[in-house]
Amino acid sequence: MRDAYQEQMAALNKALGDMVDEVGAAMAQATQALLEGDLELAEEVISNHDSVAEKSAEAEDQAFQLLALQAPVAGDLRSVVSGFQLVSEIDRMGALALHVAKVARRRHPAKVLPDEVAGYFEEMGRLAVELAQNARRVLENQDYHDALTLMDDDDAMDDLHRHLFTVMMDREWSHGVAAAVDVTLLGRYYERFADHAVLIARRVVFQATGKTPEQLLEAS
């Protein structure tokens, strides 16, 4: 029974890792669509979103099977419950990539981003994909040390998000309210994407140790 549980739990973590990989790829495509005004690529991200929803349902089914068939207790139960929470975090990451693609589609053929901020979003897109890749790694290796490191990796995203407001509040901003709204919303989408990657890391820490990151730091 124990071997069966370990195999099913590893399969669930692998499925969750694959989902993170998929939403990271979706954010990479959405960013490209945003920067290049590529309507076809934006439509591809939007149409592929159903795949994320299907995989979320499959992962939840795997977690329910673990609960029903393996009757986990203590640490095992903690891991399964964390699995449900992880599905939710990854779902939200996919939804944020979808929002970016929809902005690119809605404004087509107009250019969404003024030149002053395009570079910010190129870097935010790169960081988002990197965070997703790191989240996949910690999901699969269940190394809480890696997870703790990932939790600090969104600092650069937060800095870029703050700088966006500096640019928009400058007297030189000449692109009007609509562009400012788009930039504000898009900046928030990327920031939240990073936040959910960090929440994945927090849940992996709890899954692996039974403690929050703050409790681990206090103990050390």
Side-chain angles (χ1 to χ4, degrees):
M1 287 288 288
R2 182 67 185 172
D3 288 344
Y5 166 79
Q6 293 290 0
E7 289 175 6
Q8 287 181 269
M9 195 68 228
L12 175 58
N13 286 329
K14 171 76 164 56
L16 293 170
D18 289 344
M19 286 172 60
V20 174
D21 199 43
E22 187 166 340
V23 299
M27 184 57 95
Q29 289 182 310
T31 301
Q32 184 179 346
L34 184 69
L35 293 169
E36 299 177 4
D38 190 327
L39 179 61
E40 184 176 341
L41 194 55
E43 293 285 9
E44 184 178 338
V45 174
I46 293 165
S47 62
N48 287 345
H49 183 68
D50 288 344
S51 171
V52 176
E54 290 170 5
K55 288 180 180 176
S56 293
E58 291 170 4
E60 286 186 338
D61 283 345
Q62 287 178 264
F64 276 121
Q65 287 178 29
L66 277 163
L67 282 175
L69 302 179
Q70 300 297 336
V73 295
D76 293 346
L77 181 60
R78 181 179 67 236
S79 295
V80 177
V81 171
S82 292
F84 286 109
Q85 296 169 326
L86 287 163
V87 171
S88 178
E89 301 297 350
I90 299 166
D91 258 345
R92 289 168 185 158
M93 292 170 77
L96 290 161
L98 177 67
H99 291 334
V100 173
K102 285 184 174 180
V103 172
R105 181 178 69 175
R106 185 169 67 247
R107 296 302 185 196
H108 184 82
K111 190 176 180 181
V112 178
L113 299 173
D115 291 340
E116 292 95 317
V117 298
Y120 288 91
F121 283 97
E122 183 175 5
E123 180 62 7
M124 290 171 88
R126 186 193 68 78
L127 288 170
V129 173
E130 184 178 287
L131 283 163
Q133 292 170 343
N134 291 341
R136 175 178 184 157
R137 187 182 69 251
V138 300
L139 277 168
E140 293 190 355
N141 66 24
Q142 292 291 296
D143 186 327
Y144 76 88
H145 295 99
D146 273 358
L148 288 170
T149 299
L150 190 158
M151 289 178 57
D152 294 327
D153 287 349
D154 73 330
D155 290 348
M157 183 74 83
D158 291 337
D159 288 342
L160 286 166
H161 188 239
R162 282 192 294 269
H163 282 305
L164 280 175
F165 286 98
T166 301
V167 174
M168 287 188 294
M169 294 300 291
D170 193 286
R171 291 182 180 179
E172 299 296 320
W173 181 263
S174 59
H175 306 286
V177 174
V181 170
D182 282 342
V183 170
T184 300
L185 286 174
L186 287 163
R188 182 63 172 159
Y189 297 154
Y190 284 92
E191 183 201 31
R192 290 301 297 153
F193 189 95
D195 287 345
H196 287 299
V198 169
L199 286 170
I200 288 172
R202 288 185 64 89
R203 298 198 189 285
V204 169
V205 170
F206 183 71
Q207 196 175 43
T209 68
K211 297 180 180 179
T212 66
E214 291 77 15
Q215 288 171 329
L216 282 178
L217 291 172
E218 285 177 9
S220 62

